[in-house]
Amino acid sequence: MKLKKWQVVGFYLINILLVLAFVAPIVWTLMTSLKPTDQILTYPPELLPREITFEHYRTLLTVNGGEFMRYAVNSLIVTSGTILVVMAVSSLAGYAFAYLRFPGINIFFISILATMMVPFQSLLIPLYGFMHRMGLLNSYFGLILIYSTFQLPFCVFMMRNTFSALPASLRESALLDGCTEAQVFTKIYLPLSLPGFATVLVYSFMTSWNELLMALTFNSSAKVQTIQVGLTNYYLSRYRTNWEMITSGSIITMIPVLIVFFILQRYYVRGLTSGAVK
Amino acid sequence: MHNLQGVRRFFSKHRTGMMFLTPAVALNLVFFVYPLVRVFQMSFYNWSVLGSNRFLGLGNYERLVNDPLFWKSLSNTVIYTLIVTPGIFLLALALALLLNHKSPLTNVFRTIYFVPVAISFVVASLVWLWIFNELYGILNYVLSSLGFISSRVSWLGSTWNARLSVSAMVIWKTAGFSMMILLAGLQGVPVECYEAANIDGANARQRLLYVTLPIIRPTFVMALMVSLIGSFLAFDHFHVMTQGGPANGTLTIVMYIFRTGFEYFNLGYGSAMSIVLLIILIVLSLIQTRSLQSDTVE
């Protein structure tokens, strides 16, 4: 559809206003975190820092023996662990659901997809008891396994679609040539499925890094707290009026996920729309 | 397992297949199916952390029906859902229709509207708490300079203020997600459909009503259901922004379950609430799949 000139001007004008509305809250937070302490609690508020200071970031990262750094490292461990587990498990299962046939396979598929319908929030209480008995509370491993379980349906679905989109004849001729199923999977199909893995990676990264409720429930002890839990507790119990800590903490918490999103957004959006529109 | 022989035979016959599936199925059974069965069982007990469980039958459910706070948390959640779902949908639809035009900057705009989706609810809540701050917040300053308010507003101070403020944050945070879904739907309408309509002599209004809307109806349903389900499970932003207050006016179901389970250690009662939540969500999911299926059959 061809737009008239005034429509083009209107299109850009509206979009620029919207862009301002969407980024303003984040920019305002960034500005606050860079202001000298005595410029933060002022009324009327001043938009730009009188002078840019990284003092609050230094305080945040060193306070209490660098505990905020530890929260970040904890999140990094849990997030990367989850990504590895979910990539391995969902590619194996996705391959099976795309190519292997045996009785009962549909029941497994339905059971895994059912995880999408049942909210994990309703399973927190029994999961807590189970994790307690298994000694998995307050451990990286426990949280990784739970995150993986609840990210599996999306990722299995994604990987199955990725494998199904590849020609089945590759597998058939390789099997005829004497390859084993494992060889067909690792040597032929995996290298061709990198876009699917990219989608799984960015989805898993964003979901794990940003998750609060399960981390709060299962990893409550200070040593293994994730960054979302640590930041929440900073606001709720310790630095409620200390906005330099809260704003700099917010900026640090959003940086990794924004970097990953900007690099891999194409794959994230692809996964989102392929899952949603079908 | 009493049928070990059969299981073993099944495994050896389908060894390769089982090798591929075992990790996924194991995780699914241990961390999903097992707790799912367990939560039903626990909901019939006075379940104690120390291990002395007492069977109550429907006692927990009886208590639930007579618990005003449970009903309050349910109605809080429904009210919040009813505010936020249309808000997200309308903003997302406006954004999607706007970005359905090609321009050199369309992709840049799309990415920017999606940025709040990428950050966590915790961060988004803190960002907006600073904006909503009663004494030093920029919102009060901007609105009073423009003459919209005469004195500072306590944005989280009363139940309705808190509901609307949190909703505003959530609309900002999640509209980009629904926008992506709607945009994909809009762009998925095949050009041939318009061409065929043109040959049949359809005008612009008829094309919109009889071609575009019926084709993207499943996408509409999908976008609506995603935010409906998401808002029914709200926890993070209320936990950070209001802690359920003032006077439990923003206590959501998931928050109440969390408190019952992990602050009052009332595991059986919390499980009964979980079952109610689970049933509501499954009904919502079934409505979603049903309406999508009926679309494809038509």
Side-chain angles (χ1 to χ4, degrees), chain A residues 11-12 15 18 22 29 32 43-44 92 102 111 115 122 181 210 217 228 236 240 261 265 268 272-273 276, chain B residues 14 16 20 28 98 103-104 111 113-114 118 120 122 127 130 135 141 152 172 177 184 222 243 258 262 274 278:
Chain A
F11 173 83
Y12 281 105
N15 272 304
L18 281 167
F22 271 84
T29 304
T32 304
Y43 196 89
L92 284 167
F102 57 87
S111 170
T115 319
S122 65
E181 201 73 60
N210 287 341
T217 309
Q228 308 292 343
L236 290 182
R240 202 177 184 106
F261 169 68
Q265 58 159 314
Y268 184 78
L272 192 146
T273 49
Chain B
H14 305 286
T16 348
F20 277 88
N28 188 255
L98 191 65
S103 85
T111 301
Y113 303 152
F114 201 78
S120 70
V122 171
V127 162
W130 178 223
L135 292 180
Y141 171 71
R152 287 177 182 152
W172 169 83
F177 190 87
M222 182 55 108
Q243 299 90 54
F258 182 82
F262 307 115
S274 302
L278 196 147

